[in-house]
């Protein structure tokens, strides 16, 4: 049986568009209903107030309150990811840090003779020719021809030049030839600009594949130039020596450490772990935690720390590589890599250096509070060091990676990445030019390393207070040196000199651990409480109230609008179908439904007191106050009467 | 009667029950409450009713959950810290200066003469074992030696180490598995030990072994000299130390001159006579209201290195420390050295930490709640953690060994340890000192102070006097001290010190409660 299309549509409409909520027929009635019933009294006052001025005032007040709430809540949201700092001090037994000690001179000069004799000879020759310096023995000046006949590899590789800055010409100090400076000039000293420019010395590095591309590095002082030049060659030579040989060439623990005392007890070289540093040779780490135990101190003060006497064999120093005497130490955590070349403290000979420590532990909050990394796992740079992440490790690893990528070999001062090998000019004749170029870029932050690498979130820091006393004192010098020579044993056949010795004390000044940590300033609870405070303060409103707003202003309003549109469409449709014969019966029915809603029948405007008492519709069967007895059935019937639409739906 | 009538009425009322059902009451509540959730439950259609019911339930549980969190936060007694850095007029710190060497050797020589001869002979034997020169004119007093002998252990044969008493003929006494289990086991040909017996002749001995002879000799000498000096009365010890007028040659505070009379003398067991500037015990503490070296304290000291006790202190210089007014200077912990022949400049930043007391953090305001008798209160100084730890140690020492250690103040009615009256004290002291349990007890019972002030120092050094000015400076200073034209000072003894506030002189971290009621 074919039913009328109108009925079909009505049926479908009733199925698909169930009517809920305060069934106000129009938006204004819905608003009215809302304003009278809501807890935010501002809205209520707008409706209830008599007189235009008062109503306007209330509208303004309510609007400004809403504005304030929005503004303040936005502020709260934006400040949500802020951190507050807390400092706690705890007095306790403290773990003693690892102390890494190196001789400033990396390798015994006497043992290095076989590797460095060529280079040293050349360097001495250069000094003699350029500066007229001779060590006193050889007074005969060698001629330029002599130079060429010896076939100095080192000068062919990297020629030392004297530069005339204004004419942009350079004199090759070996051959005396003048040549034009091509390519870029890098000044290592900025003082060159206003200094006298006639005495500038430097060296030229050229791209081996493309000889026209050269870079000239100049120094205002020959001391720097010679040292830098020497270092380049030295690194070349060292890169070719295997690690085991290098460890033998450097100092042993017995060589370096004469006496050792920790926590009031004697200790010896077994407390030290060897650690080979490419630039400093064999270094020794006290309390490295390698055997699983970390020593700790339960008493502060100089007697209870580490107390060592170091033997610095000054006579066996490399004269060109290092120009200062002493030892270098660094205090670090057991998991940290000691960057002794960057942040080491130097120790003087013939003196007692006492280093008092303060321990501070810091923790930052990682994302989204600040840009730091917990483990370094999220950073796209491989950690080449076998130690826990730090910014320094990342930067060095990043540079090494770039070096291997662009130069094809690894720089000597940093560990090897997998599958790479150290640069030397037999295999990579181009590396020095490449290295200098890359280093320049690195310093100017063009490699992107500084952008990739992030701080570590937690770090330990030992603040050092260093002071120096004369040691040994003039009166105790005599017996001290004699006994120490005896300690050193039979291996040493000379009497010790006080400039060969350094006394070092490392101790905790107090056992207070300062722990600086960042905490989230806002937790979710605090944020919500603040929201609640704002809502309550300005609008006497709550979350429920907000949901009501959403319900009324979004869902109900929308449904009313939709309903009206639908009716209009239906009217238009029926009009078209029946040629205007149909009446707007369903619409009036719906309207009646809306009016039937008890919540909307609040015709009489409530006074202030009735408003506060939340008046119910006059004809509502619902009780106003207890104790009027009423049956729950009546309550249900009240609902069923008022909401025929819902019931209809239920029956279906 | 009235009460009874009232009670009867109440009973009646109870029996009658309320004039409405609970359901009615509930509906009434829901309808009239200010929280709109319940109102909506009863007023809406069945589906909305359900939704509102669950929403209300959810919100109620949320509220209780968050209340729980808030209460927990309060009970955890968190604190927030505020940090401030800047310059303000502050009390200049008390400055303690000492000589690294406690006594003038010329004064204590008669006391230490026997000991020095003994150590010299022992060193002779150690260094040249071949020619044992027994031609010492007066025979050595071996009584001192026998109390704590030094022995040499030959470990060429690892299973049977040979112990050689230095002054006796090869006395080979294999000591079981040996005391040399310690550090010098590895490859050391020989190691030096200093055995300490609890009772003379008894077998209860411990060997303290040293891998280095220099250390062994120093430790041995300190033990012996401590024992000797502890018998000397205090005023004699003060007399044997360095006098203020000899040590402090020049003093200038800000633009005002000062002299040795502005210093308070204190006897420090490690360093003899120490002198404290601006201690604030009798007079008001000085303020400094300007940063920079010009407005600080400038001192010239003479440490007369020629008069050092050779075996006691091998490092030469002045020991100084900055500390708060009315606090005891613990130089071994916080002190720094100043080197002879140099000018040492010390820039000071006062690092203060103000903490909330209990229950926010475990600290003490004045030390009265710490279960350790503060022995340093006899100096009229305030409580500090160092004082507490040392007092704790001394109290233990008195309990266990029966006498007090020379380095710490004495409780009432107790004497200092010395070899004659307490022969086993060195053994007792050593075992107590290395006892981890004892340390832990002290660490647990002492509390740090709530207001902690540290002086962060930036130290720099330069040679002083310069070669050009050396002559006239020495001349004037010698003249002022001794009124003679002879130069009695030299580079090895003279020290210049500048102590001043940095541009930012304070950094204060203060705590406040994170959550209050």
């Amino acid at each position: 049986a074919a039913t009328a299309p109108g009925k079909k549509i009505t049926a479908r409409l009733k199925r698909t568009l169930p009517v809920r909520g305060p069934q106000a027929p129009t938006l204004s009635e819905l608003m009215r209903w809302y304003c009278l019933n809501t807890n935010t009294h501002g809205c209520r006052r707008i409706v209830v107030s008599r007189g235009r001025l008062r109503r306007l005032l209330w509208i303004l007040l309510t609007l400004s309150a809403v504005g304030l709430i929005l503004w303040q809540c936005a502020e709260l949201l934006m400040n949500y990811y802020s951190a507050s700092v807390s400092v706690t001090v705890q007095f306790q037994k403290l773990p003693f840090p690892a102390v890494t000690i190196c001789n400033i001179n990396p390798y015994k000069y006497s043992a290095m003779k076989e590797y460095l004799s060529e280079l040293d000879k050349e360097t001495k020759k250069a000094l003699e020719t350029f500066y007229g310096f001779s060590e006193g023995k050889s007074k005969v000046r060698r001629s330029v021809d002599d130079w060429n006949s010896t076939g100095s590899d080192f000068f062919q590789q990297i020629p030392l030049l004297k530069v005339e800055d204004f004419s942009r010409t350079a004199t090759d100090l070996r051959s005396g030839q003048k040549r034009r400076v091509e390519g870029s000039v890098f000044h290592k000293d900025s003082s060159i600009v206003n200094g006298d420019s006639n005495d500038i010395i430097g060296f030229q590095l050229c791209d081996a594949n493309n000889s026209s591309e050269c870079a000239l590095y100049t120094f205002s002082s020959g001391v720097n130039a010679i040292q830098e030049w020497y270092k380049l060659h030295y690194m070349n030579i060292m890169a070719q020596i295997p690690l085991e040989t290098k460890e033998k060439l450097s100092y042993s623990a017995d060589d370096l450490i004469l006496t050792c005392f920790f926590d009031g007890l004697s200790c010896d070289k077994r407390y030290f772990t060897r650690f080979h540093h490419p630039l400093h040779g064999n270094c020794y780490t006290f309390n490295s935690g390698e055997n699983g135990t970390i020593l700790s101190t339960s008493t502060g003060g100089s007697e209870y720390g580490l107390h060592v006497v170091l033997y610095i064999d000054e006579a066996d120093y490399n004269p060109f590589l290092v120009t200062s005497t002493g030892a270098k130490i660094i205090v670090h955590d057991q998991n940290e890599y000691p960057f002794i070349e960057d942040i080491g403290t130097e120790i003087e000979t013939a003196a007692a250096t006492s280093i008092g420590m303060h321990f501070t532990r810091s923790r930052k909050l990682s994302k989204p509070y600040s840009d730091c990394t917990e483990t370094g796992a999220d950073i796209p740079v491989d950690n080449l060091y076998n130690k826990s992440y730090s910014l320094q490790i990342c930067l060095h690893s990043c540079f090494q990676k770039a070096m291997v990528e662009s130069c094809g070999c690894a720089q000597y001062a940093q560990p090897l990445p997998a599958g790479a090998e150290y640069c030397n000019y037999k295999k990579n004749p181009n590396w020095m030019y490449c290295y200098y170029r890359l280093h320049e870029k690195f310093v100017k932050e063009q490699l992107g390393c500084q952008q990739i690498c992030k701080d570590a979130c937690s770090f330990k820091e030992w603040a050092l207070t260093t002071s120096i006393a004369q040691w040994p004192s003039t009166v105790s010098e005599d017996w001290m040196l004699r006994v120490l020579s005896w300690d050193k044993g039979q291996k040493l056949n000379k009497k010790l000199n006080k400039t060969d010795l350094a006394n070092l004390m490392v101790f905790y000044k107090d056992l207070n651990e300062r722990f600086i940590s960042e905490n989230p300033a806002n937790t979710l609870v605090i944020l919500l409480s603040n929201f609640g405070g704002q809502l309550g303060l300005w609008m006497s409103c709550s979350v429920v109230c907000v949901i009501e707003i959403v319900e009324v202003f979004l869902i109900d309003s929308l449904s009313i609008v939709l309903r009206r549109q639908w009716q209009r469409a239906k009217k238009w449709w029926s009009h078209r179908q029946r040629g205007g014969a149909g009446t707007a019966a369903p619409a009036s029915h719906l309207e009646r439904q809306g009016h039937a809603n008890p919540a909307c029948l609040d015709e009489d405007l409530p006074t202030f007191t009735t408003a506060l008492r939340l008046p119910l519709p006059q004809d509502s069967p619902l009780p106003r106050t207890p104790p009027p007895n009423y049956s729950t059935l009546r309550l249900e019937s009240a609902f069923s009467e008022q909401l025929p639409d819902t019931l209809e739906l239920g029956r279906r | 009667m009235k009460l009874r009538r009232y009670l009867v009425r109440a009973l009646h009322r109870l029996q009658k029950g309320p004039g409405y059902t609970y359901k009615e009451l509930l509906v009434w509540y829901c309808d009239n409450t200010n929280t709109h959730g319940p109102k909506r439950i009863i007023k809406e259609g069945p589906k909305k009713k359900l939704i509102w019911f669950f929403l209300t339930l959810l919100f109620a549980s949320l509220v209780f959950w968050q209340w729980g969190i808030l209460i927990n936060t309060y009970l955890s007694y968190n604190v927030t810290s505020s940090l401030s850095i800047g310059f303000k007029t502050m009390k200049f710190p008390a400055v303690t200066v000492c000589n690294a060497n406690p006594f003038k050797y010329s004064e204590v020589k008669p006391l230490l003469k026997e000991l020095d001869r003994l150590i010299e002979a022992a060193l002779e034997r150690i260094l040249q074992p071949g020619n044992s020169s027994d031609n010492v004119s007066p025979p050595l007093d071996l009584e001192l030696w026998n109390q704590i002998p030094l022995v040499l252990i030959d470990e060429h044969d690892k299973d049977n180490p040979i112990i050689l008493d230095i002054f006796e003929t090869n006395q080979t006494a294999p000591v079981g598995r040996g005391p040399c289990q310690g550090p010098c086991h590895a490859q050391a040909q020989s190691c030096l030990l200093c055995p300490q017996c609890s009772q003379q002749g008894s077998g209860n001995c411990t060997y303290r072994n040293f891998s280095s002879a220099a250390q062994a000799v120093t430790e041995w000498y300190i033990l012996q000299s401590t024992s000797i000096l502890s018998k000397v009365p205090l005023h004699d010890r003060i007399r044997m130390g360095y006098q203020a007028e000899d040590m402090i040659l020049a003093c200038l505070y800000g633009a005002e001159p000062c002299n040795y009379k502005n210093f308070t003398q204190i006897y420090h067991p490690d360093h003899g006579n120490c002198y404290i500037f601006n201690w604030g015990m009798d007079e008001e503490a000085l303020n400094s209201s300007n940063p920079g070296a010009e407005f600080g304290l400038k001192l010239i000291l003479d440490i007369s290195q020629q008069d050092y006790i050779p075996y006691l202190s091998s490092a030469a210089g002045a020991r100084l420390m900055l500390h708060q007014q009315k606090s005891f200077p613990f130089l071994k912990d916080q002190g720094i050295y100043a080197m002879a022949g140099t000018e040492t400049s010390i820039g000071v930043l006062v690092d203060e930490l103000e903490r909330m007391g209990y229950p926010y953090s475990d600290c003490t305001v004045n030390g009265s709640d710490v279960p350790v008798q503060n022995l340093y209160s006899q100096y009229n100084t305030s409580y500090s953690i160092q004082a507490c730890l040392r007092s704790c140690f001394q109290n233990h020492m008195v309990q266990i060994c029966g006498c007090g250690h020379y380095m710490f103040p004495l409780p009432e009615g107790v004497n200092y340890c010395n070899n004659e009256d307490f022969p086993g004290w060195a053994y007792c002291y050593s075992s107590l000192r290395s006892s981890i349990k004892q340390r832990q007890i002290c660490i647990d019972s002492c509390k740090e102070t709530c207001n902690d002030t540290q002086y962060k120092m930036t130290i720099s050094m330069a040679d002083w006097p310069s070669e050009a000015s050396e002559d006239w400076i020495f001349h004037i200073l010698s003249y002022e001290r001794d009124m003679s034209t002879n130069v009695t000072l030299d580079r090895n003894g003279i020290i210049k010190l500048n102590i001043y506030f940095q541009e930012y002189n304070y950094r204060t971290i203060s705590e406040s409660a994170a959550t209050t009621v």
Side-chain angles (χ1 to χ4, degrees), chain B residues 276-310:
Chain B
I276 307 178
F277 178 75
N278 193 25
W279 204 13
M281 279 296 186
D282 311 319
E283 72 285 346
E284 275 291 292
L286 294 168
N287 283 323
S288 178
S289 48
N290 285 302
E294 285 307 307
F295 303 97
L297 178 70
K298 291 182 178 182
L299 285 176
I300 297 175
L301 304 176
D302 176 33
I303 57 162
S304 50
Q305 220 187 114
Q306 299 306 327
D307 221 2
Y308 266 42
I309 303 172

Side-chain angles (χ1 to χ4, degrees), chain A residues 37 39 89 259 261 263-264 266 268 270 298 302 358 467 470-471 473-474 476 479 487 548 551 626 639, chain B residues 28 34 36 40 42 48 183 187 208 211-213 215 305 310 314 316 332 334 337 353 355 439 454 511:
Chain A
N37 279 280
N39 224 10
V89 177
T259 73
F261 221 61
D263 205 11
S266 190
D268 70 357
R270 280 171 305 153
S298 48
S302 51
H358 262 300
S467 61
Q470 192 185 332
W471 178 88
S473 62
T474 40
S476 66
W479 78 266
D487 276 340
E548 245 178 17
E551 186 196 25
F639 273 101
Chain B
W28 177 82
N34 223 10
H36 284 210
R40 306 305 294 268
I42 57 159
K48 269 205 168 175
Q187 284 165 355
R208 276 194 72 193
S211 54
S212 144
Q215 279 169 2
Q305 220 187 114
S314 54
K332 283 250 161 157
Q334 312 262 328
Y337 280 112
L353 186 72
R355 282 188 293 168
R439 289 188 191 179
Q454 286 174 356
E511 282 183 349

Side-chain angles (χ1 to χ4, degrees), chain B residues 342-378:
Chain B
T342 59
E343 170 172 354
T344 305
S345 294
I346 301 168
V348 180
L349 168 85
V350 184
D351 194 9
E352 282 175 314
L353 186 72
E354 288 162 12
R355 282 188 293 168
M356 310 266 295
Y358 185 81
Y360 293 95
S361 47
D362 192 21
C363 62
T364 175
V365 180
N366 55 10
S368 54
D369 52 339
V370 172
V372 175
Q373 188 202 346
N374 187 2
L375 301 175
Y376 286 86
S377 52
Q378 56 186 273

Side-chain angles (χ1 to χ4, degrees), chain A residues 589-600:
Chain A
H589 174 69
L590 272 173
E591 237 165 278
R592 225 180 298 126
Q593 265 183 5
H595 281 292
N597 193 322
C600 295

